[in-house]
């Protein structure tokens, strides 16, 4: 398809970048741009009984998705949901404890994998697709709608550890001691994630991002098996059904393995964590669009430190396809005014 035959590309800067174009002013959005650093988010959050209720109430989820768009005019809106809704939809108990993060009834071994029910995933996630449909009507025409899911390895870490782990002992022992049994869990997640992303695209998501937040804790062979292979399977299957929809991969902490991840998964763009040097970012940009990678703590600090961080990244990556973002999610302590300043600096260059 030529650029001319994609009318959305002429008005949507994010789609232009993801289809390989360099732009004088890069498109920008921030991971976790809807969230607790915004007073208007905290107000809506207080109206929901629980965090999952917020994710499954289209009225509220649409509202919090739109809040950062209204306030800042980002180039993309990311659907408000969570990566752990897939574990919930497979039948695992998931809940969120204020100040502690997600908790899940931990899965250990093949019996708990056998209890998961992949057929329940799409019906249980119907409210999320309704949120996507409403967002397609509510967003400004130049704003791109991003859908997302957790990648299988990262979702499996939460499912096996029962929450955010510290050393990943339980999930690693499962994967190393019983690779076939653990592989069945990964296969279920590949299937569920493929269907989930497909349904988001059918509802109106124009781009999808796969968050592999814990990709960086694995040795090389395990990284290939549990990060690259499942991601490639999902990308292949999504692209077979929706060849024009860009997929962004975020294998956080992949270090030296970013290049293999890009080459072997066929993602259209790669989101870089804060530790990735501009030399590697520039090399990756020869193959795909790159997204990133300002340290979220620089947006807490603001001022000259933040301005220098923005300039370093934007100067290094301006001549290729590039999406400005953070290297990980924005943190709750971020002063909302510093995000305004980030946009003024980036767009005023
Ligand atoms: O604005 C957006 O980016 C869209 C919504 C979004 C959320 N979570 C909302 C959320 C997205 C894209 C995510 C992804 C997510 N969720 C990831 C991958 C990215 C990353 O940060 O590594 C992971 C690992 C999760 C799992 C998760 N959800 C954790 C570890 C936590 C607790 C930490 C925290 O920030 O509280 C959550 C809860 C969560 N997800 C909140 C939000 C706004 C805060 C909950 C609240 O408001 O009480």
């Amino acid at each position: 398809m030529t650029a001319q035959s994609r009318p959305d590309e002429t008005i949507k800067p994010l789609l232009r970048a993801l289809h390989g174009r360099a732009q004088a002013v890069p498109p920008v959005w921030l991971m976790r741009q809807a969230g607790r650093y915004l007073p208007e988010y905290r107000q809506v959050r207080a109206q929901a009984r629980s965090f999952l209720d917020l994710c499954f109430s289209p009225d509220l989820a649409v509202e919090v998705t739109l809040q950062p768009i209204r306030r800042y005019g980002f180039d993309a809106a990311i659907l408000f949901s969570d990566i752990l809704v897939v574990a919930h939809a497979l039948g695992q108990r998931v809940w969120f404890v204020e100040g502690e993060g997600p908790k899940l009834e931990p899965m250990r071994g093949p019996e708990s994998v056998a209890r998961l029910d992949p057929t329940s995933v799409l019906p249980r996630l119907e409210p999320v697709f309704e949120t996507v449909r409403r967002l397609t009507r509510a967003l400004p025409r130049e704003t791109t709608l991003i859908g997302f899911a957790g990648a299988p390895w990262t979702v499996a870490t939460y499912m096996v550890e029962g929450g955010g782990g510290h050393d990943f002992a339980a999930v690693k022992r499962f994967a190393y001691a019983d690779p076939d049994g653990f592989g069945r869990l990964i296969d279920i997640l590949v299937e569920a994630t493929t269907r989930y992303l497909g349904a988001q695209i059918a509802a109106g998501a124009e781009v999808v991002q796969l968050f592999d937040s814990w990709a960086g804790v694995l040795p090389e062979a395990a990284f290939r098996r549990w990060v690259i292979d499942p991601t490639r399977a999902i990308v292949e299957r999504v692209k077979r059904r929706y060849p024009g929809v860009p997929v962004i991969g975020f294998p956080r902490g992949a270090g030296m393995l970013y290049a293999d991840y890009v080459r072997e998964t066929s993602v259209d763009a790669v989101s870089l964590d804060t530790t990735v040097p501009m030399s590697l970012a520039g090399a990756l940009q020869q193959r795909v669009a790159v997204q990133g990678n300002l340290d979220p703590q620089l947006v807490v600090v603001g001022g000259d430190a933040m301005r220098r961080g923005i300039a370093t990244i934007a100067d290094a990556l301006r001549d290729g396809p590039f999406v400005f973002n953070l290297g990980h999610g924005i943190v709750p302590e971020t002063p909302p005014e510093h995000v305004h300043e980030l946009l003024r600096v980036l767009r005023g260059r």
Side-chain angles (χ1 to χ4, degrees):
M1 226 192 282
T2 65
Q4 264 96 13
S5 66
R6 282 199 210 99
D8 284 351
E9 246 193 68
T10 62
I11 52 168
K12 299 197 184 223
L14 183 81
L15 290 181
R16 279 201 293 273
L18 295 178
H19 286 124
R21 299 259 206 100
Q23 296 171 90
V25 176
V28 51
W29 67 281
L30 304 182
M31 291 191 269
R32 295 286 189 97
Q33 64 191 19
R36 284 168 301 179
Y37 75 109
L38 291 178
E40 61 268 35
Y41 171 84
R42 294 195 298 269
Q43 212 181 339
V44 173
R45 174 75 177 81
Q47 291 170 35
R49 263 190 307 137
S50 68
F51 177 71
L52 278 183
D53 270 352
L54 176 55
C55 296
F56 294 143
S57 306
D59 284 343
L60 301 182
V62 166
E63 170 57 24
V64 295
T65 304
L66 294 175
Q67 285 172 346
I69 306 305
R70 285 191 207 113
R71 196 189 255 261
Y72 300 115
F74 287 120
D75 292 286
I78 181 161
L79 161 69
F80 190 86
S81 180
D82 196 82
I83 65 166
L84 297 177
V85 298
V86 169
H88 162 84
L90 283 165
Q92 192 175 14
R93 218 161 73 77
V94 179
W95 67 105
F96 289 80
V97 180
E98 199 68 58
E100 281 181 53
K103 304 279 175 209
L104 302 85
E105 208 163 342
M107 316 216 347
R108 298 284 156 82
E111 322 73 51
S112 36
V113 176
R115 278 197 294 274
L116 298 174
D117 178 10
T119 64
S120 62
V121 168
L122 291 192
R124 285 198 183 178
L125 295 174
E126 181 49 41
V128 176
F129 310 134
E130 176 60 18
T131 301
V132 173
R133 284 190 290 271
R134 293 192 197 177
L135 283 168
T136 61
R137 297 191 290 268
L139 283 168
R141 58 201 285 275
E142 67 279 10
T143 312
T144 304
L145 178 57
I146 303 176
F148 74 95
W153 164 253
T154 289
V155 176
T157 65
Y158 285 96
M159 293 176 81
V160 174
E161 299 284 335
H166 297 290
D167 54 7
F168 302 93
V171 67
K172 286 185 173 186
R173 286 176 199 173
F174 185 3
Y176 296 157
D178 179 13
D180 291 340
F182 186 69
R184 276 192 286 282
L185 172 57
I186 293 291
D187 288 346
I188 288 171
L189 287 169
V190 166
E191 181 66 37
T193 306
T194 301
R195 291 186 191 203
Y196 180 43
L197 292 176
Q200 289 181 39
I201 295 167
E206 301 168 281
V207 171
V208 292
Q209 175 153 329
L210 272 169
F211 287 90
D212 220 340
S213 305
W214 300 116
V217 305
L218 289 171
E220 180 175 356
F223 182 91
R224 292 187 185 286
R225 181 154 185 188
W226 308 124
V227 172
I228 291 184
D229 291 353
T231 301
R232 178 177 48 226
I234 293 168
V235 174
E236 241 170 44
R237 292 173 59 184
V238 168
K239 290 214 166 276
R240 213 175 298 145
R241 250 176 94 193
Y242 300 102
V245 173
V247 181
I248 307 171
F250 180 38
R252 188 168 72 96
M256 300 279 284
L257 292 167
Y258 265 103
D260 289 14
Y261 175 94
V262 163
R263 186 163 8 87
E264 294 172 26
T265 61
S266 300
V267 289
D268 299 279
V270 64
S271 199
L272 307 174
D273 69 75
T274 291
T275 68
V276 174
M278 290 301 103
S279 53
L280 174 56
L284 295 169
Q285 205 181 28
Q286 302 299 310
R287 283 192 88 96
V288 290
V290 297
Q291 171 173 281
N293 65 344
L294 188 71
D295 191 330
Q297 298 299 340
L298 283 171
V299 195
V300 177
V301 170
D304 281 344
M306 177 174 79
R307 278 194 285 277
R308 279 195 301 273
I310 295 168
T312 302
I313 294 167
D315 286 344
L317 301 174
R318 67 187 317 157
D319 294 333
F322 169 51
V323 179
F324 192 91
N325 206 314
L326 305 180
H328 198 192
I330 193 164
V331 298
E333 300 78 19
T334 307
E337 180 47 32
H338 290 182
V339 176
H340 276 297
E341 179 65 9
L342 182 159
L343 288 163
R344 272 196 298 272
V345 171
L346 187 71
R347 290 176 168 165
R349 284 160 43 86

